[in-house]
Amino acid sequence: GHEALALTDHDTIEAPMLLRTVASSRHIPVSVEWTVPFGATELHIGVHNLPAADGHWWMERFRAYTAKPNELLLPRMLEELHETPGVLVVLNHPVWDLHTIGAAAHRAQLMRFIEIAGERIHALELNGLRDVRENRTVTKLARETGYLLISGGDRHGLEPYRGGVPATS
């Protein structure tokens, strides 16, 4: 089997682009976690394996959308990503109500997004740094929608804990 690891940062590809300047790291995929304002909430989309030559062009488009969201443009952008060979589009921590608009309101926006995105989203993230109940909800959502599950982790400034001791200790 093939194994892959993608390192992302929020709304920037500078780290993978910089790493790719080192000869031994030219194979590192260009990936990003794009912040997508959507209705009353915000979603995070992992865009993995962007063609390096197009990475900065895509980042300008992502920044423009995030600064001035236009849901009429979103399906076409997702379609272009979907049509780009090798690109993987993952809806990261989809049920996390990051901006605390309320679980029901977030779910309504999430389901509306899924309806619009359809097959242009390739998978949902099962996040190793999120709560087990949340991950069970994501697993159920994947079953309901037919999306694949992909493992990931998103710190958002937090570290996992085991028995009250940071896992990194």
Side-chain angles (χ1 to χ4, degrees), residues 109-168:
Q109 294 301 308
L110 170 64
M111 297 312 290
R112 193 169 67 80
F113 174 81
I114 286 173
E115 185 177 320
I116 289 169
E119 68 180 13
R120 299 172 197 110
I121 297 293
H122 303 134
L124 304 180
E125 179 196 51
L126 195 61
N127 191 305
L129 298 180
R130 299 296 306 148
D131 160 304
V132 68
R133 287 170 298 197
E134 183 177 308
N135 280 322
R136 284 186 185 133
T137 302
V138 173
T139 301
K140 182 179 176 195
L141 179 63
R143 277 195 302 267
E144 291 169 358
T145 59
Y147 287 116
L148 296 173
L149 284 172
I150 291 184
S151 63
D154 196 337
R155 289 182 39 200
H156 284 272
L158 303 174
E159 291 292 341
Y161 284 85
R162 285 187 236 151
V165 178
T168 55

Side-chain angles (χ1 to χ4, degrees), residues 3-153:
E3 296 175 10
L5 174 67
L7 302 174
T8 62
D9 201 353
H10 284 268
D11 305 309
T12 180
I13 58 169
E14 295 312 310
M17 294 300 278
L18 184 59
L19 283 170
R20 289 173 64 86
T21 65
V22 177
S24 63
S25 300
R26 286 208 168 74
H27 66 284
I28 291 176
V30 176
S31 301
V32 65
E33 184 170 21
W34 174 30
T35 302
V36 181
F38 190 78
T41 196
E42 191 173 86
L43 301 169
H44 290 162
I45 298 176
V47 182
H48 303 280
N49 207 29
L50 283 168
D54 298 336
H56 290 290
W57 177 76
W58 272 109
M59 287 312 304
E60 286 306 312
R61 292 183 72 194
F62 295 157
R63 279 188 206 79
Y65 182 90
T66 300
K68 190 175 179 184
N70 180 345
E71 289 181 19
L72 297 176
L73 299 176
L74 189 57
R76 182 65 196 139
M77 289 177 72
L78 293 172
E79 183 67 24
E80 289 176 47
L81 289 167
H82 174 70
E83 291 174 350
T84 304
V87 169
L88 177 68
V89 182
V90 179
L91 186 51
N92 291 348
H93 48 74
V95 300
W96 183 13
D97 179 17
L98 184 61
H99 295 285
T100 61
I101 65 169
H106 178 77
R107 175 144 178 115
Q109 294 301 308
L110 170 64
M111 297 312 290
R112 193 169 67 80
F113 174 81
I114 286 173
E115 185 177 320
I116 289 169
E119 68 180 13
R120 299 172 197 110
I121 297 293
H122 303 134
L124 304 180
E125 179 196 51
L126 195 61
N127 191 305
L129 298 180
R130 299 296 306 148
D131 160 304
V132 68
R133 287 170 298 197
E134 183 177 308
N135 280 322
R136 284 186 185 133
T137 302
V138 173
T139 301
K140 182 179 176 195
L141 179 63
R143 277 195 302 267
E144 291 169 358
T145 59
Y147 287 116
L148 296 173
L149 284 172
I150 291 184
S151 63

